[in-house]
Amino acid sequence: MELSGNFTVNRPRAEVWAALNDAEVLRDAIPGCESLDVSEGGYDGKIVLKIGPIKASFSGRVNIAEAVENERLTLTGEGNGGIAGFAKGGATVTLTDTPEGTEVVYSADVSIGGKLAQLGNRLIGSTARQLAGKFFDRLNETLAQPQEPVR
Amino acid sequence: MNDLRDRFTGRLEDRRFLTGTGRYVDDITLPHQAHMALVLSPYAHAVLRGIDTAEAEAMPGVLAVLTGADVLADGLGPVPPFFMPKMWGGPEGYATLRPILCTDRVRCVGDRVAIVIAETRDQARLAAEMVAVDYDPLPVVTSARAALEGDGVPLWEDNPTGNLSCSLEMGDKAATAAAFAAADVTLHRHFLTPRLAPASLEPRGCIGHYDAGEDRYTLHTSSQDPHGFRAVIARNVLKCAESRIRVISPDVGGGFGLKAHMHPEDALVLWASRRTGRPVKWIATRSEAMMTDTQGRGQEIEAEIALNRDGKVLAVRATAWTNMGAYFWGTATPPFYFAMQLIPNVYDLGAVDLTNHAVFTNIAPMSVYRGAGRPEATFVMERLMDEAAAAIGMDPVELRLKNVIAPEAMPFKTATGMVYDSGEFANMIRKARAAADWAGFPARAEASRAKGLLRGRSLISYIEVAGVMNERMELRFEPDGTLTILAGTHSHGQGHATVFTELVADWLSIPAESIRYVQGDTDRILVGRGTFAARSSMLGGSALLRAKDALIERAKEMAAVVLQAEIADIDFEQGMLKVRGSNKALSLIEAAKLFYLPAGPANLLGIGLTGAGTAAGKPGAAPNYPNGCMVCEVEVNPKTGALTIERFVAFDDVGRILNATLCEGQIHGGIAQGLGQALLEAMTYDEDGQLTSGSFMDYCMPRAEHMPAVDSYLLEVPCATNPLQVKGVGESGAIGTPAALVNAVMDAIRPLGVTSIDMPVTQARLWQTLRDAEAGV
């Protein structure tokens, strides 16, 4: 399943890039994130998600396949929701300058399995968009509490 | 035989069903009962590399977490198919051995990987989420045809024929080829019958209880065949004596074939109870049911018909691919067989050449579902007949009349080896045609056209083979002169308690109120085959008749002693045992009571008055062939694809009618299921083998609004193979309906250039088909 979208973050590119590579910022911004730890070449984490009628705790790992500073991040990942099934896939995130700040464009190719596919296959797209929306809102909020003024 | 329709006032079962006092498995709670949750594979095909149960075991309330390794350690055996095609004279085939929990590989989404037993249902489910399973995914194939052509990887590495279990061949290749070469017209069609979910209102469920003191297991389960479950669990899984297992099947809320064979959970709860020392309950959620139940149908077929311009059909040739799913499981053989064997339907076809491939794929296993192969066979033949009629410009009813088997030809052996004992097929067709006002169609079509709608009609014939295996029924008088029927069959909606009670009350001239009906308990019933394949009226009814005869014979011994007469001089009439040529008589009930007195003639004759009877078909005449004719008329809105059923006539020959209301109830229910198949239902998997129709959000069940008013007629053509002269009825409606509906739709849209439409004919598919036709696709 292919998912894509774009959001604008009202901060310069370098700052957004730094935030996207900061485990602490990510932990706060990812909806339902219970833990996120840096490990070699990526993160290990745990998030609780509700997709349609399914609520499950996913443990997983995200690997950073390619990182072009301030420009592009290519990720692969896999999450296991136990009885709820699994999700795995890859995503590319690109950053470009805009007058308002930085536009973040993401595109992901995700496959899901088990109960998640059985009950949630029609809800994945909208849920993913919703989660991404929340993520970038929180990212905006976090970055809007500046340690240093906006230039 | 008596027709009970006139005095039918309702089913004896209805009192408890209508007052909420029915008793289903989930209504039963055993003391200290614990609960089981399943860990199911989310992958359609994967190597099982390891399972970490530690976190789950530490969860609150958890009593045990068990895996395939524990299954092996405890020596629990795998489950083979109930039987293979070879038993019916077919090919050997590759039979899978399915462990009750997967040990090294998962082969479909929903394969059982582990179980968690906990104090409460919620605790068990929460802990099940914590079981960490390490899967190594393998290539997946979901289409039988693609699997046979080499897609995916072999599911069973020791199967020498890859993903093919076996190929069944029937007919005469040379004669068929010659007929095709000589025919004026030949035509070819491709048909798909999707997989269907049985979707019983009551999902599967069971409670296992191991009594360590007695070293004995009790299984409460929602089953159509308690003795069959017991045999498989004892022989294959637990490897113990059958007497050490008691299976009780209480009220069952719908079976449709799903509950004709055990599923892994039936054995798992017994084992889990032994491991935890607690009764263990499992009731499927609807999601689990959709994912773990066996499914019906699932066939792709390339079919050809050869005929002359005068309408004489010369031959039919077909190759089919049956999607067995991951296992050859349960009673998958009958649908695999009947889908070919009944293709000749009610017609005298010159020759057939039929091949059916049973192919393993990474989806849920297939087994029987109401109709079991007969709907597929009927669909192929009846679709071909309508296409052939259109091709030669002949009225489709006349084409059928030209090819039907005549009553004088009975017994008639078909090109696939079925021996029909009776049937008035042409008579049936003519009656159905008249009942549906076939002649008035052009005017109705014109009226539809004036509204901007397309009207189509169909008349189809179907035949069914009913009544497999033997059966035993027992009658037992109690000491107070009341009577108990101990049934080997199993009613789960059919109304056996009513029909069998009425029959016995009638035969013995005793009040129905004094009769109790017992079924579904292996400790109370010596043996039984259960109920499926429309077998119970013929085999249960005939066995009951013989049980009655045996009972009367024994009662005559008492009458002879009491009335001081010879046994040979005693007749049984209207509840009385009478000495011929005298006025000496003893009532059956009095005789029964005497059999239970602590002293008296019972000392000599033996205590107790019982009678047991067995019924089995004779070879070559074993089953019976219910048959019928359906007429369907539909209106299609060419702009929206909306479809309405304007007329539905069902004529059914069920042999002698035991209870017309119950027969019609069965036929109506079958039609509703056939309508679901034709218009709404399909189990679907994506290319990764993920189930994408796993809930009623995506799997559309027929609703009351979809159901047309059905004009149902019964034509009594006595069956020649059993003393009650009855034929089956349980599957009839489901067999003909898909063909009737799709043919009617095709009749409406064929003028637009459409040559085929697949099931389910949803509004979206119909709309798309019409748009494609417009665009000349």
Side-chain angles (χ1 to χ4, degrees), chain A residues 34-101:
Chain A
E34 292 198 329
S35 69
L36 192 76
D37 302 308
V38 181
S39 66
E40 202 180 330
Y43 305 98
D44 289 320
K46 198 166 195 174
I47 59 171
V48 176
L49 282 182
K50 192 170 183 315
I51 297 172
I54 311 161
K55 188 179 176 191
S57 169
F58 284 82
S59 325
R61 168 159 184 87
V62 173
N63 290 307
I64 300 169
E66 193 195 7
V68 181
E69 200 174 343
N70 296 340
E71 279 184 23
R72 193 171 68 247
L73 206 51
T74 307
L75 308 167
T76 60
E78 196 169 334
N80 193 336
I83 204 166
F86 65 86
K88 60 180 178 179
T92 306
V93 181
T94 50
L95 311 183
T96 42
D97 292 326
T98 64
E100 292 81 31

Side-chain angles (χ1 to χ4, degrees), chain A residues 83 86 112-114 118-119 122, chain B residues 38 129 287 291 690 694 698:
Chain A
I83 204 166
F86 65 86
I112 52 172
Q118 181 189 10
L119 296 175
R122 291 182 306 144
Chain B
L38 303 174
E129 290 194 19
S287 299
M291 195 174 262
Q690 294 297 334
D698 295 289

